[in-house]
């Protein structure tokens, strides 16, 4: 058993997995390009089928000319709290790859799965570095595709904000109560030996 924050893991795991969580209260801290690239460097080393590395990232740091454009892609709810984050990242995945020895690209059945592993690496590196990452589905994917110039053979997967933890009192009252590391379902509901339960 491992404990950290209010979380308890049923089996012994490294505390980094319990310490990583997705807050909404950020303090608006500046972030250097080098720090952002450090998080993306961790993502670069994620595993992928055929080592195809389908993940791509478009980012904007607070205070740069690109910030408002990426912030504007988020839905109103996410924009209301994410505006205090330090960087916004749009996560993309290449939907095709060229297998070794093949003459042309073919559809990739694992591009989203593999890109999810890169997001996890990024989030853990941010957490280990004293920052907090929050992934989001609530943004305009079609506008992102158009405004960011995303090619047709890429999927727009998610948006991510990263920042330094702020005081939860800046959030609406309903969100303040949720501003803590969230629990997880018990492993017995998620993992099954042999076959899926009937």
């Amino acid at each position: 058993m491992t404990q950290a924050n209010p979380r308890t893991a049923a089996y012994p795991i490294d505390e980094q997995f319990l310490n990583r969580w997705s807050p909404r209260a950020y303090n608006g801290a500046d972030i250097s390009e080098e720090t952002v690239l450090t998080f993306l460097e961790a993502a670069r080393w994620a595993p992928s089928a055929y080592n195809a590395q389908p993940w791509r990232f478009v980012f904007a740091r607070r205070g740069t000319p690109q910030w408002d454009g990426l912030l504007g892609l988020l839905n109103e709810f996410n924009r209301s709290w994410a505006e205090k984050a330090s960087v916004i990242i749009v996560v993309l995945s290449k939907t095709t790859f060229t297998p070794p020895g093949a003459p042309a690209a073919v559809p990739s059945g694992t591009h989203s799965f593999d890109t999810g592993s890169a997001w996890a690496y990024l989030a853990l590196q941010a957490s280990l570095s004293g920052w907090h990452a929050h992934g989001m589905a609530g943004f305009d994917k079609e506008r992102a595709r158009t405004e960011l110039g995303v090619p047709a053979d890429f999927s727009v997967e998610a948006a991510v904000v990263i920042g330094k933890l702020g005081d939860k009192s800046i959030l609406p009252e309903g969100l303040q109560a949720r501003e803590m590391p969230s629990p997880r379902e018990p492993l017995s509901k998620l993992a099954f030996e042999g076959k899926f339960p009937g």
Side-chain angles (χ1 to χ4, degrees), residues 23 27 37 41 51 73 82 85 102-103 106 108 123 148 151 166 172 179 181-182 186:
N27 69 7
L37 294 177
E41 177 69 16
N51 194 29
L73 296 174
V106 298
S108 170
L148 304 181
E179 190 67 358
S182 56

Side-chain angles (χ1 to χ4, degrees), residues 88-140:
I88 300 170
I89 302 171
V90 175
V91 182
L92 315 165
S93 65
K94 193 167 193 316
T95 61
T96 61
F97 78 109
T98 304
V106 298
S108 170
T110 62
H111 65 92
S112 290
F113 178 80
D114 295 340
T115 299
S117 69
W119 142 247
Y121 276 36
L122 182 159
L124 282 173
Q125 183 61 54
S127 179
L128 290 168
S129 303
W131 296 80
H132 291 275
H134 190 123
M136 297 168 286
F139 71 109
D140 192 324

Side-chain angles (χ1 to χ4, degrees), residues 15-49:
E15 285 186 13
Q16 68 177 315
F17 297 104
L18 300 178
N19 287 329
R20 190 225 59 81
W21 65 290
S22 303
R24 288 188 176 90
Y26 293 107
N27 69 7
D30 288 335
I31 191 169
S32 69
E33 182 180 30
E34 183 176 1
T35 299
V36 176
L37 294 177
T38 295
F39 304 156
L40 297 174
E41 177 69 16
R44 185 169 78 97
W45 291 97
S48 61

